[in-house]
Amino acid sequence: MSEINIRALAKALNLSIGTVSKALKDSYEISAETKERVIALAKALNYNPNPYASSLRRKKSNTIAVVIPEVADSFFSAAIKGIEDVAQLKGYHVLLYLTFEQYEKEKKILQECRNGRVDGILMSVTSETIDTVHISELLTDTDNPIPLVFFDRAMDGINVQRVTTNDFESSFAATQHLIDAGCRNIVYLSVSKNLHINNKRIAGFKQALLQNHLKTEEHNVADCSNDGAYNHQLINKILTSNNRPDGIIAGVEKLIAPVYVVCQQAGIHIPSQIKFISFSNLPYAPILNPSLTTVTQPAFEMGQQAATLLFKAIEKKGSSAMDEHIILPATLVIRNSTGMEGRLD
Amino acid sequence: MSEINIRALAKALNLSIGTVSKALKDSYEISAETKERVIALAKALNYNPNPYASSLRRKKSNTIAVVIPEVADSFFSAAIKGIEDVAQLKGYHVLLYLTFEQYEKEKKILQECRNGRVDGILMSVTSETIDTVHISELLTDTDNPIPLVFFDRAMDGINVQRVTTNDFESSFAATQHLIDAGCRNIVYLSVSKNLHINNKRIAGFKQALLQNHLKTEEHNVADCSNDGAYNHQLINKILTSNNRPDGIIAGVEKLIAPVYVVCQQAGIHIPSQIKFISFSNLPYAPILNPSLTTVTQPAFEMGQQAATLLFKAIEKKGSSAMDEHIILPATLVIRNSTGMEGRLD
DNA sequence: TATATTCACGAAACCGTTTTCGTTACAACG
DNA sequence: CGTTGTAACGAAAACGGTTTCGTGAATATA
């Protein structure tokens, strides 16, 4: 912090500290003339008020926390852009916390948020997160309930505002699209049984199978993990089994590469031998080989809306309806990985 | 902030505030017995010290700022992971600021850092950033020089620690690889003439041409912008001109997609008709059509090293050698986009 | 025994703002 | 003329920690 503080300003102007403070905040108590003098000198000396002194006194930090499992994912990186966008507009600062998909880290991070460091929290839970006590503790703090908004990866059984996509419907549509393309043995690559969005997507998947009179069997849902090597093996096992599927839906972006790689290695052609859809915001989907049909979420907008919701909750302190639930539609972008074309290469 | 503060603790324990504070910080002044009592109650009441009160008094925020132009770029997202990794280890908090490639935002953000909010700054400059006064102002603040470390996109003419890659050499190597593959008319797609790394890469490119007795002409370096539509048009113009190049080097990841798309649209086959290399950390490079030869930076490690350097500077306050310059090697990963194979598809 | 030292803790200043609550001077008002 | 009101500012108490300095008791030293 620079040596010039409000005290130095006051001394130079021969005013009291309080007067300077009020002048800078354009208080009605201060004459126009004095305000001008104060502001002029403040600008000349490049005065920058200490944010922590202010936070301490006002019990307001103008800072929010963004708690996410990962940043190298096109959904999250786009969502962060949306969040930053409205945060900058609102004059808020953004603390970024990565949980690296670890529940313990998430717990610790949230715990550290309970001391006034942030005015609110935006989060997408870890794939390991099962219980919600660490979250509900924040909300039910008798003295200081801290506003929290889920985006994308929300938790059930807890009364929290959230911004998500229509996971059931979009998964249903993706599945239907595969069925329409001729698939009869579709495998859904699941992220984590703990994730609500994952389960909604599985539900949509199963419902589509049901409505098309296709049986859902054990092997139709495969649980992937956070271990890339394990996932690769699992996918390899599925795609080289006797009962090889003719359609794949990946519930998360990081499963795209292993599917493509395994297909390439095993000589399985997409889409003639197997069709593939992934939930993903990857801007490179159009230039993959073949281009990838995706369920694409409006990530940027989701970030914006979640942040907007949070700021509303912060400002209205308590009066906010906790059950607000914004659902934005994802779009099925059809490309060649589910196309009907034969083997061209 | 929760209602339990250090005062409440002190009252409950029948101790003075100062004693409780010292006990929690494991001061030698406090008896083991008292420390135990204090810590036990603190844990029981879930006491969480107010960070801003502490920051105010200690003039230390335990927070750093990460100022970058963009997050939806695989280099930056990986670098952030590295930064978060060591920040969490060191007990620091990370404020994320996106400049959206806008110089004005960068300036404003840095200005806001000059009030004690952060103990240090990690940054990659905007493609618009020309002068360095907004940066040198931070460093030469008579009273409070705030440590800053560049990573990747550094600025010249200013004495700042930095972590970069061997841009000249890797660009040289990439160019040489294209020449070895038979290219004689290579175009370098430049990010921004303002960026130091970009100019180093161009220099390496030109040097390679020179050493191979190839002339560098005007059209061999094409300036792209931050406008996607403009870039697309420019690339389209280049690839459909009479003097169509037989090799392309893209200086930044975001130019990959337009090159592929234009080639596809114009029916130009990679690599038989044109060969393509991009600077990029894209994990999807192997599954593009064709797989993309890349110059890949050790992004995660760069984030780690930059953060480590910054923390060292923060701790040693002043005694740090400002000219420390860590250069990590990028690697040329050869894939099919520069391969010799003919048209197979 | 007188003095020095160590131990364990309390009192209070301090960090830089914000905000409440005076206080003064002056105008308005009956 | 006494009262009220208002405009413009100052004094001081917060906010919740940290840190310096003091202080009394116990122990060691001469």
Side-chain angles (χ1 to χ4, degrees), chain A residues 5-42:
Chain A
N5 50 23
I6 203 171
R7 187 191 335 266
L9 273 190
K11 189 175 292 181
L13 289 164
N14 208 16
L15 287 172
S16 80
I17 293 176
T19 301
V20 174
S21 175
K22 290 171 194 165
L24 289 171
K25 317 212 87 190
D26 201 30
S27 162
Y28 69 96
E29 294 184 60
I30 308 299
S31 74
E33 186 197 7
T34 303
K35 281 180 189 170
E36 271 182 40
R37 285 179 57 217
V38 172
I39 292 170
L41 186 66

Side-chain angles (χ1 to χ4, degrees), chain B residues 81-124:
Chain B
K81 275 179 80 167
I83 293 168
E84 269 271 338
D85 187 50
V86 337
Q88 287 186 13
L89 229 68
K90 284 273 193 174
Y92 274 77
H93 299 256
V94 175
L95 277 169
L96 179 68
Y97 294 99
L98 299 185
T99 59
F100 297 95
E101 297 279 10
Q102 294 167 32
Y103 173 65
E104 281 306 320
K105 283 210 163 143
E106 178 175 296
K107 206 166 155 185
K108 185 181 163 200
I109 289 163
L110 287 191
Q111 179 59 29
E112 285 200 350
C113 284
R114 304 181 60 184
N115 51 16
R117 192 185 293 276
V118 298
D119 297 335
I121 301 175
L122 290 174
M123 82 179 288
S124 259

Side-chain angles (χ1 to χ4, degrees), chain A residues 33-101:
Chain A
E33 186 197 7
T34 303
K35 281 180 189 170
E36 271 182 40
R37 285 179 57 217
V38 172
I39 292 170
L41 186 66
K43 187 167 291 180
L45 295 186
N46 217 334
Y47 168 67
N48 219 326
N50 184 305
Y52 297 146
S54 174
S55 293
L56 179 58
R57 177 61 229 244
R58 298 187 309 134
K59 290 179 175 297
K60 180 125 181 6
S61 65
N62 279 295
T63 303
I64 62 169
V66 174
V67 184
I68 55 175
E70 174 66 86
V71 70
D73 175 290
S74 58
F75 171 79
F76 286 119
S77 58
I80 287 178
K81 276 178 80 166
I83 293 168
E84 270 271 338
D85 186 49
V86 336
Q88 287 185 13
L89 230 68
K90 283 275 193 173
Y92 274 77
H93 299 256
V94 175
L95 278 168
L96 179 68
Y97 294 99
L98 299 185
T99 58
F100 296 94
E101 297 279 11

Side-chain angles (χ1 to χ4, degrees), chain B residues 15-16 19 22 29 31 34 56-57 59:
Chain B
L15 288 172
S16 81
T19 301
K22 292 170 193 162
E29 293 185 60
S31 73
T34 303
L56 179 57
R57 178 61 227 246
K59 290 177 176 299

Side-chain angles (χ1 to χ4, degrees), chain A residues 275-286:
Chain A
K275 303 192 195 315
F276 184 29
I277 296 182
S278 179
F279 282 79
S280 170
N281 285 65
L282 199 66
Y284 300 92

